[in-house]
Amino acid sequence: MSRLSGAGPALVAGAGAMLCISVLAGLEQFNDGALWLMAPFGATMVILFGLPDSPLAQPRNIVLGHLLTTLVGLAIMSLFGVHPWSLGLAVGLAVSLMLLTGTTHPPAGANPLIVMLSGQGWGFLWSPVALGALLIVLMGLVYHRGTGRRSYPARWL
């Protein structure tokens, strides 16, 4: 019986994640192929819609976590290229930077790898990262308030 009682919130969280990713994917089709999606955003859905009260799900963490770690990946790739040690350096610096700035968002830890392994340019910081993260937070805000299940965000900064 206890598993069934958790089905409602789980389905609401899943519906929010589905809607958010569907909107981002749809924007790619209608925006001349501009990127709006990246794999770490899928993991962001788990935290934002499943654990919206978590410090890791707050707007500051989602937006700045994704931006800072992507910036680290772009900078390390520009300075040193892509090597096993530079991949490790980028992820390590990204983790440290998130912890030092209070912007920890675990899905963003993958961003330096995405940037470096796929050879992204500086425009990647704008789209999909900045635009996508901002839209994700906005959709989380609207969805959580619209469903009446939770007050989101717990804090903005």
Side-chain angles (χ1 to χ4, degrees):
M1 195 62 127
S2 63
R3 283 189 179 180
L4 291 178
S5 65
L11 292 174
V12 170
M18 179 194 75
L19 181 63
C20 189
I21 292 297
S22 296
V23 167
L24 291 171
L27 286 171
E28 284 190 2
Q29 293 179 359
F30 298 108
N31 198 14
D32 294 328
L35 288 176
W36 284 87
L37 278 177
M38 60 178 187
F41 285 169
T44 295
M45 297 300 105
V46 176
I47 296 171
L48 175 60
F49 291 101
L51 304 165
D53 297 327
S54 166
L56 307 174
Q58 302 313 303
R60 170 187 168 92
N61 295 66
I62 292 174
V63 174
L64 292 179
H66 279 299
L67 284 172
L68 291 173
T69 58
T70 300
L71 186 61
V72 168
L74 289 164
I76 295 299
M77 184 174 65
S78 293
L79 290 170
F80 304 114
V82 179
H83 309 283
W85 63 267
S86 65
L87 290 163
L89 175 64
V91 171
L93 287 174
V95 168
S96 294
L97 188 59
M98 283 192 292
L99 290 169
L100 287 169
T101 60
T103 59
T104 305
H105 185 66
N111 292 355
L113 298 176
I114 298 290
V115 165
M116 295 173 75
L117 293 175
S118 63
Q120 295 298 326
W122 288 93
F124 192 78
L125 188 61
W126 175 249
S127 177
V129 178
L131 291 176
L134 289 169
L135 187 56
I136 286 169
V137 166
L138 178 63
M139 290 185 67
L141 174 73
V142 169
Y143 189 79
H144 284 301
R145 291 193 178 173
T147 60
R149 294 216 172 229
R150 299 192 190 258
S151 175
Y152 179 83
R155 61 180 166 67
W156 283 98
L157 299 173

